[in-house]
């Protein structure tokens, strides 16, 4: 077969997708993602920071309404077609919107107008949803946090937090003035300012009883308001009719086992903590007799869990370490928050979809939403949903079988993801996320993330291997993956070791089997950080047997971006390792990078040059290389995300054209051919925004192709790992 025919056959083979497994039961699936920046006014800098924090919907469920604190606005999104959200613009406010709720045809936003922590103030803003025109309404007793409307539309509750100065006395309370709860009667969705009742909430908590800081409010069907006093670690129930406290109790403390409490560049779930004050943020009534709190924690605690209480304060259920474990299993555990509050449960929502009752727990730092079925005494975990960065608000729209998340973080200044609103539908079929997850071993999850290279077992179809990069610097690892399962399953973690201890100074970016049960690993170096560029030969248990540095004639031209993949061809003394260098080094022509070759038997180095596509924005480089059936497959990508992402492509170089020359002289330029544009595969994978880093690609022993993305260790990242089975390459045989 000619090279042209071979490449055409390859394209045809990869264009054919494998069939999805038979659908069963039902699950929430993400159907749309809306970047809040799309709602910026035309005369506003497109790079202006935005946020979607608290989110609600019109009564017909067709219009989303969210608070945007950095923009100083309330935003509107049309989801008449939930799979194609459309921005409806924003309403600017005079102050900072902290929360928003809906009463009939009106949206009611709480606005913080405080001059200082010691002189807090605020008001209500009433917005006509249809016309998006606003009128200032009642003045408030201080700085508002959350608002809620009773189910019958009669009352509005406002938590007046009067938040503390976190830089004063290390944020310890009391810090006056004290917060309170205010209750307004509503007339056709408009607050009656003269009807206000103020519940002081002082003298209730064991922690700083003179300085309550109400955080979140929710109504039950009896017209009772539950309010969390987060810093006070307390919960109160107040009658909307009278403004009187019906009952109150301490949120208490929780204990967790088999968790990670150390920010040390390793995922080790072998620690425990006792008597952690729960310090709840969000609260939701499950029914008139039970409520659930998200134990985010504040300056003293955070139990990393959710807790279900009776209305009298009896603990009916506590999730313990389950949320931490679920984040770890999905690759979303935020190791940099291990010494703080871990995955950090913050948002909550509860709703009945038909005969099924669900509640949803948003994990702010893990960027996940855990879905639980309210099954009585012990809730049942149904699934976890990938969200954007920092899910703050969760909104159920059961009348339309929809769920919405508002993701607070906007990292435009870092060139990272914007704030997003994400829409999910309850549909027939199995969950689509996670696409890859690990398993529990001896009561602990196998922690993983930042997958930066992918390889196939040479003899067992569906058996793959991946490595993690320098984000997990204290625990470099090889992961064994069963790709035949859905989701793909990480069943084993092999620590790469040197002299019996986890190896240091590694940045693993590539892996390939050595044909003898061990592996060759490519470590991307950075001399400025004393991390060497190296090839590592390890045995089946990850023990380093040999370390090979790059030759001096290469290192003389070193740049920051080094080896991003390794593959192996040949047998015996003819074996050759081939490595992709990510970006140009000092001796490379612009737009060309090296493919290095190394022969272990003779210790000879050689190279060719590879032509990069030209970027429209940012830069383009290589991130993976794998050899299969006479071809080198190379992943080429830009460093852009979302709508700016343009190049996520799989190319092929025929081995007949790969004739590396000795270093120090002219290097031949190889010819490449496009195999597949992977952008649509990424968009379709889970209907999120396109992430930047496809870092792994391989073809297994059965001719099936896979790729995987690097989630950056959930650091300034949504934590999502996209793992895609592209399909069969049988057409090449």
């Amino acid at each position: 077969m000619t090279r042209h025919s071979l490449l055409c056959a390859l394209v045809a083979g990869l264009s054919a997708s494998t069939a999805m497994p038979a659908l069963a039961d039902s699950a929430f699936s993400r159907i749309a993602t809306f970047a809040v920046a799309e709602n910026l006014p035309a005369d506003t800098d497109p790079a202006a920071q935005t946020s979607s924090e608290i989110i609600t919907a019109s009564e017909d469920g067709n219009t989303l309404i969210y608070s945007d604190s950095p923009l100083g606005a309330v935003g509107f999104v049309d989801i008449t077609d939930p799979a194609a959200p459309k921005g409806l613009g924003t309403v600017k406010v005079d102050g900072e919107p902290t929360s928003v709720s809906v009463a009939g045809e009106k949206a009611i936003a709480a606005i913080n107008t405080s001059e200082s922590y010691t002189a807090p103030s605020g008001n209500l803003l009433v917005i006509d949803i249809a016309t998006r025109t606003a009128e200032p309404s009642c003045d408030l007793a201080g700085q508002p946090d959350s608002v809620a409307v009773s189910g019958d539309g009669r009352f509005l509750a406002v938590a007046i937090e009067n938040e503390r100065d976190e830089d004063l006395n290390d944020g310890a309370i009391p810090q006056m003035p004290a917060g309170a709860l205010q209750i307004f009667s509503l007339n056709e969705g408009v607050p009656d300012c003269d009807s206000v009742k103020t519940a002081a909430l002082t003298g209730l908590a064991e922690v700083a009883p003179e300085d309550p800081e109400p955080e979140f409010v929710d109504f039950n069907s009896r017209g009772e308001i539950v309010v969390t006093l987060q810093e006070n670690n307390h919960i109160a129930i107040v009658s909307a009719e009278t403004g009187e406290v019906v009952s109150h109790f301490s949120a208490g403390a929780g204990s967790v086992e088999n968790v990670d409490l150390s920010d040390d560049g390793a995922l080790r779930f072998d620690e425990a903590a006792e008597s952690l004050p729960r310090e709840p943020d969000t609260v939701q009534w499950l029914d008139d007799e039970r409520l659930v709190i998200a134990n985010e924690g504040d300056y003293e605690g955070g139990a990393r869990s959710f807790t279900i209480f009776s209305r009298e304060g009896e603990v009916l259920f506590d999730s313990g370490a389950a949320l931490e474990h679920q984040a770890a299993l999905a690759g979303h555990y935020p190791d940099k928050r291990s010494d703080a509050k871990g995955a950090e449960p913050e948002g909550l929502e509860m709703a009945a979809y038909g005969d099924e009752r669900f509640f949803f727990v948003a994990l702010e730092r893990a960027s996940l939403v855990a879905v639980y079925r309210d099954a009585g005494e012990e809730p049942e975990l149904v699934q976890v949903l990938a969200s954007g960065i920092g899910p703050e608000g969760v909104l159920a729209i059961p009348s339309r079988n929809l769920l919405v998340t508002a993701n607070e973080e906007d990292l435009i200044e870092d060139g990272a993801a914007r704030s997003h609103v994400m829409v999910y539908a309850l549909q027939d079929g199995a969950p689509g996320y996670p696409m890859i997850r690990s398993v529990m071993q001896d009561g602990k999850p196998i922690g993983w993330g930042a997958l930066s290279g992918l390889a196939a077992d040479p003899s067992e179809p569906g058996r793959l291997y991946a490595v993690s990069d320098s984000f997990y610097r204290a625990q470099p690892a090889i992961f064994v993956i069963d790709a035949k399962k859905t989701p793909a399953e990480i069943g084993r973690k092999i620590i790469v070791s040197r002299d019996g201890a986890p190896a240091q100074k590694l940045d693993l970016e590539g892996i390939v089997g050595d044909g003898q049960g061990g592996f060759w690993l490519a470590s991307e170096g950075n001399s400025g950080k004393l991390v060497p560029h190296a090839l590592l030969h390890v045995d089946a248990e990850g023990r380093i047997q040999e370390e090979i540095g790059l030759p001096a004639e290469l290192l003389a031209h070193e740049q920051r971006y080094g080896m991003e993949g390794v593959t192996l061809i040949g047998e015996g003394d003819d074996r050759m390792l081939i490595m992709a260098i990510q970006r140009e080094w000092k001796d490379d022509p612009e737009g060309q990078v090296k493919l290095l070759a190394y022969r272990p038997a003779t210790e000879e180095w050689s190279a060719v040059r590879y032509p990069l596509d030209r970027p429209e924005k940012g830069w383009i480089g290589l991130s993976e290389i794998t050899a299969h059936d006479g071809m080198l497959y190379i992943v080429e990508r830009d460093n852009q995300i979302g709508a700016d992402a343009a190049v996520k492509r799989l190319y092929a170089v025929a081995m007949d054209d790969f004739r590396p020359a000795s270093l120090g002289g002219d290097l031949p330029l190889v010819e490449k051919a496009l195999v597949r544009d992977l952008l649509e595969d990424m968009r379709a994978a889970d209907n999120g925004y396109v992430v930047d880093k496809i870092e792994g690609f391989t073809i297994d022993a059965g001719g099936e192709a896979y790729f995987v993305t690097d989630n950056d260790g959930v650091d300034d990242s949504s934590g999502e790992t996209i793992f895609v089975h592209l399909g069969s390459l049988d057409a090449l045989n």
Side-chain angles (χ1 to χ4, degrees):
M1 183 180 287
T2 67
R3 183 179 65 197
H4 176 75
S5 300
L6 187 63
L7 291 173
C8 289
L10 171 62
V11 173
L14 271 182
S15 295
S17 298
T18 56
M20 293 293 291
L23 300 180
D25 300 324
S26 60
F28 289 92
S29 301
R30 185 165 55 192
I31 59 172
T33 297
F34 177 80
V36 174
E38 294 181 27
N39 241 352
L40 283 169
D43 59 352
T44 302
D45 182 354
Q49 191 173 26
T50 65
S51 181
S52 53
E53 188 171 1
I54 302 303
I55 194 160
T56 187
S58 57
E59 290 192 342
D60 62 7
N62 289 331
T63 303
L64 300 177
I65 307 152
Y66 61 88
S67 60
D68 187 336
S69 175
L71 190 65
V74 175
F76 294 78
V77 183
D78 179 1
I79 59 165
T80 303
D81 179 354
K86 297 177 182 177
L88 294 174
T90 61
V91 173
K92 292 289 287 183
V93 305
D94 186 13
E96 174 200 10
T98 61
S99 185
V100 62
S101 192
V102 163
E105 298 177 355
K106 308 294 185 181
I108 307 172
I111 312 299
N112 175 20
T113 60
S114 302
E115 295 180 0
S116 67
Y117 292 107
T118 56
S121 62
N123 58 45
L124 298 175
L125 188 73
V126 178
I127 306 171
D128 184 88
I129 297 172
T131 64
R132 295 187 293 284
T133 56
E135 293 183 4
S137 185
C138 311
D139 288 334
L140 297 172
Q143 170 257 317
D145 194 327
S146 71
V147 298
V149 172
S150 61
D152 58 11
R154 294 178 57 204
F155 297 106
L156 173 76
V158 186
I160 305 298
E161 182 179 16
N162 290 345
E163 62 185 353
R164 72 192 193 282
D165 182 351
E166 296 185 13
D167 295 325
L168 179 64
N169 298 328
D170 294 326
I173 57 174
Q175 290 186 26
M176 310 306 283
L181 176 68
Q182 291 199 291
I183 307 162
F184 296 84
S185 296
L186 295 175
N187 182 11
E188 295 184 353
V190 177
D192 178 355
C193 301
D194 294 332
S195 70
V196 64
K197 295 183 285 287
T198 300
L201 304 178
T202 54
L204 304 181
E206 297 174 3
V207 179
E210 70 273 35
D211 181 25
E213 291 195 18
E215 187 80 18
F216 202 92
V217 290
D218 189 45
F219 281 91
N220 66 10
S221 67
R222 296 173 178 170
E224 294 173 324
I225 305 160
V226 61
V227 54
T228 54
L229 313 179
Q230 185 171 23
E231 289 80 1
N232 310 88
N233 196 37
H234 211 75
I235 298 166
I237 299 174
V238 178
S239 166
E241 286 280 4
T242 66
E244 295 179 354
V245 175
V246 176
S247 65
H248 66 93
F249 50 89
S250 170
S255 299
V256 286
E257 295 181 348
N258 294 337
V259 292
D260 189 342
L261 302 176
S262 304
D263 173 11
D264 59 358
L267 294 173
R268 303 186 183 99
F269 297 91
D270 56 4
E271 297 174 278
E274 296 183 355
S275 301
L276 297 168
R278 291 190 170 102
E279 295 183 340
D281 187 319
T282 313
V283 60
Q284 289 277 291
W285 289 100
L286 292 177
D287 51 41
D288 289 340
E289 302 297 330
R290 299 175 301 142
L291 53 93
V292 58
I293 57 173
N295 301 318
E296 179 197 24
D298 205 285
Y299 72 106
E300 289 288 344
R304 306 183 180 217
S305 63
F306 67 84
T307 307
I308 298 175
F309 285 96
S310 71
R311 61 179 294 112
E312 290 78 25
E314 178 188 2
V315 174
L316 303 178
F317 178 83
D318 189 279
S319 65
L323 294 175
E324 300 280 280
H325 291 172
Q326 287 303 316
L329 293 171
H332 279 250
Y333 183 75
D335 184 61
K336 283 195 172 182
R337 300 291 299 179
S338 291
D339 58 345
K341 295 176 282 185
E344 202 164 312
E346 180 172 8
L348 274 173
E349 174 71 315
M350 183 274 165
Y353 291 74
D355 295 332
E356 299 276 14
R357 296 168 56 84
F358 298 98
F359 63 92
F360 309 88
V361 188
L363 308 181
E364 182 181 14
R365 301 296 179 174
S367 294
L368 274 181
V369 175
V371 182
Y372 282 86
R373 181 177 287 109
D374 182 15
E377 184 173 338
E378 182 173 333
E380 173 191 352
L381 177 70
V382 176
Q383 63 184 117
V384 294
L385 301 172
S387 193
I389 303 178
E392 177 90 2
V394 187
L395 171 69
I397 311 178
S399 62
R400 301 189 65 197
N401 271 355
L402 298 178
L403 178 75
V404 177
T405 64
N407 301 282
E408 181 180 17
E409 292 294 333
D410 187 332
L411 303 176
I412 181 64
E413 293 182 357
D414 300 323
R418 308 300 304 260
S419 171
H420 286 82
V421 169
M422 296 185 172
V423 184
Y424 309 79
L426 182 58
Q427 301 173 330
D428 290 340
Y433 194 87
M435 301 168 210
I436 179 171
R437 60 175 286 145
S438 64
V439 298
M440 299 289 289
Q441 287 186 343
D442 301 323
K444 307 177 185 69
I446 295 177
W448 65 277
L451 301 184
S452 57
L454 197 62
D457 188 283
S459 59
E460 184 177 342
R463 186 178 178 87
L464 309 180
Y465 306 96
V467 288
S468 55
D469 66 20
S470 62
F471 188 88
Y472 301 109
R473 61 195 178 279
Q475 200 182 59
I478 299 167
F479 300 96
V480 183
I481 303 168
D482 184 350
K484 298 186 297 296
K485 293 185 177 180
T486 303
E489 184 176 280
I490 295 174
R492 186 183 177 205
K493 180 178 183 177
I494 304 169
I495 306 301
V496 178
S497 62
R498 184 189 288 116
D499 299 326
Q504 303 298 304
K505 298 294 184 181
L506 298 184
D507 182 7
L508 302 181
E509 297 286 350
I511 179 171
V512 67
D514 67 357
Q516 300 170 332
F519 304 93
W520 285 96
L521 309 177
S523 180
E524 181 179 26
N526 187 331
S527 295
K529 296 182 178 180
L530 302 180
V531 178
H533 300 269
L535 285 171
L536 309 172
H537 193 195
V538 304
D539 65 15
E541 299 303 316
R543 295 173 292 225
I544 296 176
Q545 307 296 302
E546 185 179 9
E547 299 186 55
I548 302 165
L550 296 187
E553 56 264 51
L554 275 175
L555 292 178
H557 308 286
E558 175 191 8
Q559 297 276 43
R560 170 186 167 194
Y561 299 93
M563 290 184 289
E564 281 284 327
V566 60
T567 193
L568 178 66
I569 62 172
E571 300 288 341
D573 289 346
D574 290 330
R575 289 183 306 159
M576 178 189 290
L577 291 162
I578 305 173
M579 290 72 64
I581 300 295
Q582 185 177 54
R583 293 179 63 187
E584 301 98 328
W585 280 20
K586 295 174 185 176
D587 61 335
D588 291 321
E590 182 180 358
Q592 296 180 17
V593 294
K594 294 185 186 74
L595 303 180
L596 299 179
Y598 176 75
R599 293 183 181 274
T602 62
E603 301 182 355
E604 293 178 273
W605 288 90
S606 55
V608 300
R609 286 198 168 96
Y610 173 97
L612 294 171
D613 290 351
R614 293 191 176 275
E616 298 178 9
K617 188 175 182 180
W619 55 259
I620 288 181
L622 307 185
S623 59
E624 179 66 292
I625 185 168
T626 189
H628 181 81
D629 200 14
M631 306 296 293
L632 290 174
Y633 300 97
I634 295 169
V635 174
E636 192 171 336
R637 68 168 180 89
D638 59 18
N639 65 334
Q640 302 300 298
I641 64 173
D644 291 331
V647 178
K648 316 290 179 189
R649 296 170 183 161
L650 181 66
Y651 283 99
V653 172
M655 285 301 304
D656 289 345
D657 278 355
F658 184 78
R659 299 185 178 91
S662 299
L663 301 176
D666 291 336
L667 300 179
L669 183 67
V670 297
E671 180 182 347
K672 68 181 183 180
L674 179 65
V675 176
R676 188 180 181 98
D677 188 335
L678 301 173
L679 267 177
E680 287 307 313
D681 296 296
M682 297 182 75
R683 292 190 182 106
D686 196 40
N687 292 311
Y689 61 83
V690 175
V691 297
D692 59 334
K693 296 182 179 179
I694 298 179
E695 296 232 343
F697 172 82
T698 196
I699 301 165
D700 76 359
E704 300 289 310
Y706 303 84
F707 77 77
V708 70
T709 63
D710 176 356
N711 73 354
D712 287 324
V714 206
D715 183 32
D716 287 346
S717 162
S718 67
E720 295 185 32
T721 296
I722 306 302
F723 181 87
V724 175
H725 179 192
L726 287 170
S728 173
L729 296 179
D730 286 343
L732 291 181
N733 298 327

